[in-house]
Amino acid sequence: MTTYNPQQVELHAQKLWETHKSFEVKADDSREKYYCLSMFPYPSGKLHMGHVRNYTLSEVIARYQKMQGKNVLQPIGYDAFGLPAENAAIKHKKAPAEWTYANMQEMTAQFKRLGFAFDWSRELATCQPDYYRWEQWMFVQLFEQGLVYRKDSVVNWDPVDQTVLANEQVIDGKGWRSGAEVIRKTIPQWFLKITDYAEELLESLDHMPGWPDSVKTMQRNWIGKSKGLELDFQVENFGQISIYTTRPDTLYGVSYMAVAPEHPLALQAAENNPEMATFLQQCAKEQSNEAAMATMEKKGMYTGLDATHPLTGKKVPVWVANFVLMTYGTGAVMAVPGHDQRDFEFAQKYGLPITQVIDAEGDLSTAAITEKGVLINSETFNGMDFTQAFEAMAKQFKADGTGRVQINYRLRDWGVSRQRYWGCPIPIIYCDDCGAVAVPAEQLPVVLPENVEFDETGGSPIKRMPEFYATSCPKCAAPAKRETDTFDTFMESSWYYARYTCPQYSGGMLSEEADHWLPVDQYIGGIEHAILHLLYARFYHKVLRDQGLVKSDEPFVNLLTQGMVLKDGAKMSKSKGNTVDPQDLIEQYGADTVRLFSMFAAPPEQSLEWSDEGVEGAARYLNRLWFQVTTFNEAAAGQVFSLTGELDKAQQAMRLKVHQTIEKVTQDIGVRQTFNTAIAAMMELTNGISKFNDDSNNGMAIRQEAWSSLVKMISPFAPHMAQALWAAMGHSTILCDEMWPKVDPAALIQDEIEMVVQVNGKLRAKLSVAADASKAEIEALALADENVQKFVADKTIRKVIVVPNRLINVVVS
RNA sequence: GCCGGGGUGGCGGAAUUGGUAGACGCGCCGGAUUCAAAAUCCGGUUUCUUCGGAAGUGCGAGUUCGAUUCUCGCCCUCGGCACCA
C-alpha cells in the first residue's frame, strides 16, 4: 500500500490529461454537446477563494456531464480590460498591459495546478486586438443601423485631478486620490439602444425555466415596465413641460410640480435668480447614483413659475427638487402629496397643500394614502375606481391632444463611453465637416497603444497622444480626431461566451461553429452579476441574432448563481484586502482537498463565510478514502468479483446503501446542484463500506462495486486522486472518459420500512413495517405499541393519519 | 430608500412535495495506540430535566392532525442600484 501523496498524484494526473488532450474538444455531431461556462475572471493578480469556488462549480458539472457521455466544452479566458490595471499603473509605475499580462500568466499557472478541465486551446483575453476588433466591428454595424447614438450625460468630475471618476472612486462625495469635492459634469457620450429590446428582454424571462426566480424577478424589476399617461402642462413664461404618471387617478390631488435640477426649466429659472443658481450648484455636488438619491435629504426650491392644471385650470407651483431624476421619464413629475409618500414628506417640509382624492384606509395627518380606491374630490371622475379613472382620463386627454397612454421602462439606454485608457477604443472619428464617422471595417482594429506612461492624476494617456488620435476623416480625408474614450468593459463580457466557440477565427466575429455550441447549457457566476452583466449579455446576444451571427434567442439556458465568498462578513475582494490565497492551501493539502472543501462548505447559491478550519476535514476524508480503497485493492489482489446466489441481510443492506447513494449523488449533482449534500452522502457511504468487513465472494463483490462507484462519483470533485485510485484498481483507461455509475433498481427494493409513530404530532415510537402492509395493519401495529399506549390510554382517539412510508399520527384529546 | 437573498447546536451546514429537526463535517469531551506527542482508530456531543419527559429552527401572530418549510407584521444581515468587476 502506498501513502497518499497529493502533490505527486496531482501532477501525474495533470500530465496524463495534457498528453491525451482530454479536455480539448471539437464540434462533433455524433454526440450531444454540453457547453459549461463560468464567468471569466478579471486578472487581478492571484486567484482567490471566490475564483476557486466558481471554477470548481463548473468543473464538477463539466466532468459529471462528460461522464454522461456528452461532448463537453469548458473554456477559460480573461476579462482583461478594467480599472484596477490603471490603478496599478499609477501605483507601481507599470503599464496596464504589462501588469495585466503578468497577472494572467500567474492565474493560468494556478488554474492548471488546480486541475480544471479547461480547453486551454480556446483561451482568450479581451485586451487582445484579435478579440476587440470584432467588438469595434459590431459597434460600427450598430452605428450604421441607428442602434447607437450620442447624447449628453452626467459623470463624476474631480476638479483637482481634472479627471472622470468611477462611482467606486468617489468616497463620501470626494475624489479618492485628490480628496476634492466631486461634482456632476455633463459630457457627450455614446449609448446603445438597449431600450429597443426592453420588451423582448422582459418577455423572454417568462420562457427561461433554467434561471433562478430571484434573478428573473430582479431583472423584471430592473426593466420596470409600467403603463401610465404622459401629460403636457403649460407653464407661463416657459412653455410646456411633460410629465409621466402611473397614477392619473390622483390628478386632482396635484398640488405642485417638481423638475430635476438639470431640467431646462430649472436652468431658465436660475438665469435671473442667484439663489436658484446656488441651489442648482449644491445639487450638482450631490451624488447621482440611485441609492444616494433615494436616501438623501429631500430639498427643493420654488422656481417662481406656475403650471396650469389641465383639468381644473388652477395654478400649480413648479419646484426644483433634488430627488427628481433627469434620466427617468421626462425629468419632471407631478406631485400628489396625499397619495405618494415622497411627495407627502416634501409637501410637509415646505408647507404645500395636501389633499385627499382617493377614498382608502389611512390617516393623511401622518402619511400618504398609497392604496388604490374610489376617486373623491375629482369632479366628474368621482366614484370611479382606478381602472375606470385611468381609461376615462386617457380618453379625455387624447381627445384634446394634451396627453397620451404610454408604456414606460425604468431601463435606461446603455452608456458605453468611458474616459479611461485601459479599454477597447471606440471606433469613431470626429471630422469638423462630416461629424462623427465610424471607422471603416478595413481599418479595424483601432489598436490601443500598450506602451504608455501614467501620471499621478490617472487621466487617460491616449488623450494626450497625437500619434493615437490624430488621423484623417474616412469620408472627406480632411484632418480629423479619433475618439479617445474607450468602451465600458461590460462590452467585452457581453459576447465572450460566443467567441469561445471560434476564438481564432479571423474571417468574422463568429464562425458557423457558434451555433454548434450555443447557447451555453450551464452558466455559473456570482450573484452580484444578477442584473448588469447578465442583462447586457442577454441584450448583446439578441443583437448578435439580429445581425445573423447566432440563431438562438438567449445566451444561457441554465444559470447557477453562486453566493459570495465572505471573509469577516464582507465580500472577499482585493480592494478590501480580505482575500484568502488558495496557493498556500494547495501546497499544504493539494488541489483535491481545496476543491472538495470549497464544494462541501456550503450549498452553491448561499454565501460562504470562509474559515480555515474545516479544510482539514476534507483532507482527512481523502486520506481515509485513499487508505480504504488501496487496502481493499490489496485484498482483492487483481481479482474481479461478481455476485452469485442469494444475499444475506447485511449484504442486502450494504448493496441498498451503495445504490441509494448512487441515486442521491446523481440527483444532487445532475439535478439539484447541491454539491455539499452529494459529498456528505459519499462520506456516509465511505463510513458504511469501511465497516462492512465481509470477505465472502458476495461481500467482496459488493465492496468492489461500492469502491469503484465511489471513486467515479468523487472524481468530479477530486479528479486527481480518483484517477490514481482508478489506475490502482487495475484500469488502464482514463477515468474522466468512463461512464457514470448506474443505479440497479433491484438493489433498491426493500421488504421492510421504518415508520414513525406520533401522538398529537410528538414522536412516540418507531416501527418496522412490511413494505406491502395495509393502512389498517399499520394503524393496528402503531396503536399496539407500548409507548404509544401510554399516551393514548386514557384519552379519546379523534383520528389517525397514516402517511405511506413515513409516519402515523394519532390525534387524541 | 428601492429590488433580490439569507437567519437552524460552540461553528459550516442537512431536512428534496407541509411529515422523525440537527445528516455530513469542524470543534470539543472520553477511550485505544504511543516512552511522549502528532497522526490514526473507536465512542459521545441542541438545551433543560425530578430521567417520566419538556423546550427548541431571528422575533411576534396565524393556517394545519402536524410548520425550519405556507400566510401576515417586524428585527438583523448580505448582494445589487446603471462608471468596481
Side-chain angles (χ1 to χ4, degrees):
Chain A
M1 193 200 67
T2 52
T3 53
Y4 173 44
N5 180 338
Q7 306 298 334
Q8 196 186 322
V9 160
E10 288 174 4
L11 294 178
H12 182 265
Q14 285 162 15
K15 205 168 173 186
L16 185 74
W17 299 327
E18 204 184 328
T19 313
H20 286 82
K21 299 189 191 301
S22 294
F23 309 117
E24 278 185 31
V25 289
K26 291 197 170 64
D28 173 4
D29 288 326
S30 71
R31 279 190 298 162
E32 194 181 336
K33 68 95 184 176
Y34 192 91
Y35 185 176
C36 185
L37 182 68
S38 270
M39 292 179 187
F40 63 169
Y42 178 77
S44 54
K46 292 178 169 183
L47 293 185
H48 55 69
M49 285 314 300
H51 291 126
V52 174
R53 190 183 193 195
N54 196 191
Y55 299 106
T56 307
L57 283 169
S58 64
E59 170 78 354
V60 169
I61 297 168
R63 285 182 183 262
Y64 169 81
Q65 292 294 344
K66 186 169 162 66
M67 292 177 82
Q68 300 293 324
K70 295 179 191 166
N71 190 27
V72 175
L73 169 62
Q74 189 185 213
I76 186 70
Y78 296 97
D79 187 15
F81 279 135
L83 191 57
E86 298 194 6
N87 297 342
I90 301 170
K91 200 173 164 189
H92 306 299
K93 301 265 175 243
K94 221 181 210 183
E98 194 189 340
W99 182 84
T100 303
Y101 284 116
N103 287 346
M104 279 164 46
Q105 207 171 12
E106 192 163 0
M107 288 168 87
T108 296
Q110 287 188 298
F111 275 134
K112 290 193 170 171
R113 183 59 193 83
L114 278 157
F116 292 136
F118 292 134
D119 181 349
W120 284 100
S121 71
R122 292 169 187 265
E123 182 186 354
L124 60 79
T126 58
C127 62
Q128 291 161 341
D130 278 356
Y131 181 82
Y132 64 68
R133 71 174 286 195
W134 300 112
E135 193 173 308
Q136 294 175 335
W137 174 83
M138 176 57 82
F139 184 81
V140 169
Q141 305 302 303
L142 299 180
F143 177 84
E144 279 156 8
Q145 291 164 26
L147 277 163
V148 157
Y149 65 98
R150 200 166 184 239
K151 76 163 185 189
D152 280 349
S153 165
V154 172
V155 294
N156 305 309
W157 181 255
D158 185 323
V160 171
D161 276 353
Q162 291 282 301
T163 182
V164 174
L165 299 178
N167 285 342
E168 196 192 45
Q169 297 173 310
V170 181
I171 295 148
D172 296 329
K174 299 191 172 63
W176 68 320
R177 283 174 32 77
S178 69
E181 251 185 55
V182 171
I183 59 167
R184 291 192 209 172
K185 189 178 170 183
T186 304
I187 58 170
Q189 306 204 66
W190 290 101
F191 286 79
L192 256 55
K193 283 191 186 167
I194 188 173
T195 52
D196 276 14
Y197 286 77
E199 191 57 42
E200 197 198 337
L201 286 167
L202 182 66
E203 202 273 334
S204 301
L205 290 170
D206 294 336
H207 316 290
M208 291 162 64
W211 278 41
D213 288 335
S214 58
V215 174
K216 287 189 282 190
T217 304
M218 278 192 267
Q219 291 210 349
R220 275 189 198 104
N221 293 336
W222 184 265
I223 295 168
K225 182 181 184 176
S226 66
K227 184 183 166 194
L229 292 188
E230 190 179 81
L231 302 176
D232 305 328
F233 281 64
Q234 297 306 321
V235 180
E236 34 181 309
N237 301 324
F238 175 75
Q240 179 178 299
I241 62 171
S242 298
I243 61 97
Y244 172 78
T245 180
T246 57
R247 289 293 304 272
D249 59 320
T250 64
L251 204 47
Y252 279 86
V254 171
S255 57
Y256 63 99
M257 314 281 292
V259 299
E262 295 89 359
H263 196 279
L265 190 149
L267 301 178
Q268 183 186 309
E271 275 172 20
N272 301 310
N273 182 348
E275 230 181 306
M276 178 60 79
T278 309
F279 178 68
L280 296 190
Q281 270 175 16
Q282 279 173 2
C283 290
K285 282 182 186 165
E286 278 168 347
Q287 288 203 228
S288 59
N289 69 72
E290 202 184 310
M293 298 284 275
T295 48
M296 70 194 175
E297 193 195 345
K298 311 287 180 288
K299 280 184 272 185
M301 184 177 271
Y302 176 46
T303 58
L305 299 171
D306 295 319
T308 307
H309 191 290
L311 294 175
T312 65
K314 286 182 187 158
K315 285 203 185 321
V316 181
V318 182
W319 284 60
V320 176
N322 65 346
F323 59 82
V324 179
L325 293 163
M326 195 61 213
T327 48
Y328 180 67
T330 57
V333 295
M334 66 178 212
V336 186
H339 303 286
D340 180 278
Q341 187 58 24
R342 194 177 56 185
D343 296 345
F344 178 86
E345 284 163 21
F346 193 83
Q348 274 200 326
K349 182 170 176 178
Y350 292 105
L352 293 156
I354 299 170
T355 52
Q356 181 171 1
V357 294
I358 300 291
D359 187 22
E361 283 286 304
D363 177 7
L364 261 194
S365 64
T366 53
I369 298 166
T370 53
E371 270 184 42
K372 287 175 183 165
V374 171
L375 276 70
I376 53 171
N377 301 325
S378 300
E379 300 179 358
T380 56
F381 299 93
N382 282 341
M384 292 183 181
D385 67 14
F386 172 80
T387 314
Q388 291 167 333
F390 189 105
E391 273 157 26
M393 298 232 179
K395 200 173 162 191
Q396 184 170 327
F397 283 110
K398 194 184 173 190
D400 64 22
T402 57
R404 55 219 71 90
V405 174
Q406 187 162 318
I407 302 295
N408 242 26
Y409 297 93
R410 207 187 71 97
L411 181 70
R412 310 199 295 254
D413 275 335
W414 179 9
V416 294
S417 294
R418 296 293 179 271
Q419 296 68 43
R420 305 250 173 73
Y421 156 73
W422 189 233
C424 169
I426 298 177
I428 293 287
I429 293 168
Y430 298 103
C431 169
D432 287 343
D433 295 327
C434 309
V437 181
V439 176
E442 63 275 14
Q443 288 177 28
L444 295 176
V446 177
V447 176
L448 182 75
E450 293 194 351
N451 285 319
V452 294
E453 273 179 37
F454 263 72
D455 65 18
E456 289 298 305
T457 65
S460 170
I462 53 171
K463 291 191 189 296
R464 33 188 170 82
M465 279 173 69
E467 60 270 41
F468 174 75
Y469 64 70
T471 185
S472 56
C473 174
K475 274 193 187 161
C476 70
K481 197 181 170 210
R482 265 185 213 290
E483 171 68 86
T484 53
D485 282 0
T486 53
F487 281 134
D488 175 8
T489 55
F490 278 127
M491 284 284 269
E492 287 91 56
S493 56
S494 289
W495 68 286
Y496 75 107
Y497 60 87
R499 184 67 182 175
Y500 275 141
T501 64
C502 53
Q504 281 99 29
Y505 185 57
S506 57
M509 190 173 194
L510 298 175
S511 78
E512 281 174 0
E513 210 161 315
D515 277 320
H516 176 83
W517 293 106
L518 291 173
V520 172
D521 293 279
Q522 179 71 63
Y523 196 37
I524 299 140
I527 183 67
E528 69 271 25
H529 297 292
I531 293 172
L532 291 181
H533 161 60
L534 287 168
L535 194 63
Y536 289 140
R538 291 183 57 218
F539 160 63
Y540 212 98
H541 194 84
K542 290 176 191 296
V543 168
L544 292 172
R545 178 201 60 195
D546 293 346
Q547 299 294 317
L549 290 164
V550 298
K551 293 198 176 76
S552 39
D553 293 322
E554 284 286 334
F556 315 118
V557 178
N558 295 295
L559 175 69
L560 176 61
T561 49
Q562 72 160 352
M564 320 277 308
V565 176
L566 306 176
K567 181 87 190 293
D568 311 319
K571 175 179 173 177
M572 224 184 235
S573 74
K574 218 182 172 190
S575 58
K576 291 197 184 100
N578 59 348
T579 55
V580 169
D581 187 358
Q583 194 63 41
D584 301 340
L585 296 172
I586 294 170
E587 278 162 24
Q588 193 177 349
Y589 300 104
D592 282 342
T593 292
V594 177
R595 294 166 54 123
L596 187 72
F597 178 69
S598 75
M599 291 297 96
F600 183 55
E605 309 219 87
Q606 258 177 51
S607 60
L608 186 161
E609 173 67 34
W610 179 261
S611 81
D612 294 332
E613 303 147 11
V615 184
E616 195 88 33
R620 260 202 299 256
Y621 172 68
L622 290 182
N623 265 303
R624 213 162 56 234
L625 185 62
W626 177 276
F627 174 78
Q628 294 287 344
V629 175
T630 48
T631 307
F632 175 79
N633 285 345
E634 277 172 25
Q639 238 185 298
V640 176
F641 297 90
S642 40
L643 294 171
T644 52
E646 290 281 299
L647 301 185
D648 64 29
K649 274 213 156 171
Q651 290 168 341
Q652 269 179 40
M654 189 67 248
R655 199 143 186 275
L656 171 69
K657 184 79 187 166
V658 172
H659 286 271
Q660 276 177 337
T661 306
I662 295 172
E663 193 178 40
K664 176 162 175 60
V665 172
T666 305
Q667 176 83 4
D668 282 358
I669 298 178
V671 182
R672 294 178 67 210
Q673 298 184 323
T674 51
F675 308 109
N676 55 327
T677 53
I679 295 167
M682 288 189 272
M683 286 174 165
E684 237 179 296
L685 180 61
T686 306
N687 294 342
I689 319 166
S690 62
K691 284 184 183 125
F692 178 75
N693 295 314
D694 186 336
D695 292 332
S696 70
N697 176 71
N698 282 347
M700 290 298 278
I702 290 165
R703 287 159 75 186
Q704 196 161 48
E705 180 190 26
W707 289 126
S708 143
S709 305
L710 204 43
V711 164
K712 283 181 173 177
M713 291 191 288
I714 201 79
S715 72
F717 302 91
H720 310 91
M721 164 187 268
Q723 171 59 43
L725 289 175
W726 183 249
M729 284 173 160
H731 303 283
S732 55
T733 52
I734 300 181
L735 179 57
C736 65
D737 297 330
E738 290 293 310
M739 291 302 284
W740 191 253
K742 285 210 159 45
V743 175
D744 177 3
L748 295 178
I749 296 166
Q750 286 171 270
D751 30 79
E752 287 206 329
I753 290 162
E754 186 180 76
M755 289 183 76
V756 159
V757 189
Q758 297 179 333
V759 177
N760 284 350
K762 289 212 162 75
L763 178 68
R764 297 303 179 195
K766 289 181 184 182
L767 294 177
S768 191
V769 185
D772 55 358
S774 70
K775 248 185 174 180
E777 284 171 316
I778 293 169
E779 213 177 297
L781 213 58
L783 288 170
D785 183 272
E786 199 183 327
N787 200 42
V788 172
Q789 268 306 313
K790 230 164 70 184
F791 290 91
V792 171
D794 54 341
K795 300 197 174 85
T796 316
I797 296 174
R798 296 288 165 201
K799 60 173 153 180
V800 179
I801 291 151
V802 179
V803 183
N805 298 330
R806 284 198 184 268
L807 60 69
I808 303 110
N809 190 13
V810 185
V811 184
V812 297
S813 62

